[in-house]
Amino acid sequence: MSVVRILNVSIPEPKSHFLAPYRFEVTFECLSPLQDDLEFKIVYVGSAENTALDQELDSLLVGPVPVGVNRFEFVAEAPKVEKIPKEDLVGVAVVLLTCSYKDKEFERIGYYVDNAYADEELQQNPPDVPQLDKVSRSILADKPRVTRFPINWDDPHRADAPPAQGADGSDAEMDAEAADDDGDDEEDEEEDEDEEDEDDGGEVDLAMTEEQDEAELASDYEEPDDDEKMAADAKHSAPVHMDVAMDVAMDVE
């Protein structure tokens, strides 16, 4: 079960100049005391072909973190133009907000960024050398791509133990559930249908289960998307048709 959950990310200025700072207002909930600070990063993925060109715009340590709902503002400067290939300056890129605890990432929120000329004539006939003073930036704030990574919050660098096994080698949790099924099949069938509806939005990671509650919450997780793949998808997709991987209780303003 995740100790920290991002509740809301607001982008006050989704439309701005290409060189304007990035500004995020983050609201998160902490369910139990943490020993260390949380680390947030803003990363600009400007090239689909080379992850070495990803730019960490800024990092921020948040702590000590009190139990309850917390809120902060995160501002980072625009990416360095000289580190972005000329052919990728104008077009669709990706900006990531990553969240980590003890150097282990537990949540990532990605946004497509549409860098385009505001002038219609330049849109139809773009110059060979991009004129960044005439390029506007539009962050698709209402279409985030969210990925959650299960970590061991007591010791993030230690892998979670596999589920306990029964005497015959089968999962003890599965044995207990099977016994419950025999007692009340009809009720369990209704619950299974409800769980299937909830699981439609993401993949279940059974490898991270230690307790039955974690097995139920595993449906909140999805396999992490490769940042390079997300940028490549952006290159070949119109912004209005972008795929949104949302399976979290998160309101985006």
Side-chain angles (χ1 to χ4, degrees), residues 36 101-105 150-160:
D36 290 348
Y101 179 65
K102 291 186 176 181
D103 297 324
K104 285 293 184 178
E105 186 177 4
I151 68 172
N152 186 313
W153 287 87
D154 294 328
D155 184 1
H157 296 282
R158 177 177 64 84
D160 282 352

Side-chain angles (χ1 to χ4, degrees), residues 25-129:
E25 294 178 356
V26 182
T27 303
F28 67 93
E29 183 179 20
C30 181
L31 300 180
S32 64
L34 297 176
Q35 297 176 352
D36 290 348
D37 296 343
L38 298 173
E39 183 177 24
F40 293 81
K41 295 180 181 180
I42 298 177
V43 179
Y44 185 83
V45 183
S47 174
E49 287 76 26
N50 190 352
T51 57
L53 297 178
D54 292 357
Q55 297 186 47
E56 182 180 313
L57 304 185
D58 204 352
S59 63
L60 178 67
L61 292 176
V62 177
V65 178
V67 174
V69 177
N70 302 272
R71 186 177 295 105
F72 69 94
E73 184 179 67
F74 193 3
V75 181
E77 294 299 320
K80 297 184 182 300
V81 176
E82 60 271 18
K83 294 185 177 182
I84 304 175
K86 184 179 69 173
E87 62 272 16
D88 293 323
L89 285 169
V90 178
V92 182
V94 170
V95 64
L96 302 172
L97 175 66
T98 70
C99 321
S100 303
Y101 179 65
K102 291 186 176 181
D103 297 324
K104 285 293 184 178
E105 186 177 4
F106 63 88
E107 190 156 346
R108 177 186 305 175
I109 305 172
Y111 296 92
Y112 288 107
V113 181
D114 187 15
N115 300 310
Y117 289 107
D119 185 86
E120 185 174 351
E121 183 177 348
L122 290 176
Q123 293 177 10
Q124 299 297 327
N125 301 289
D128 293 335
V129 178

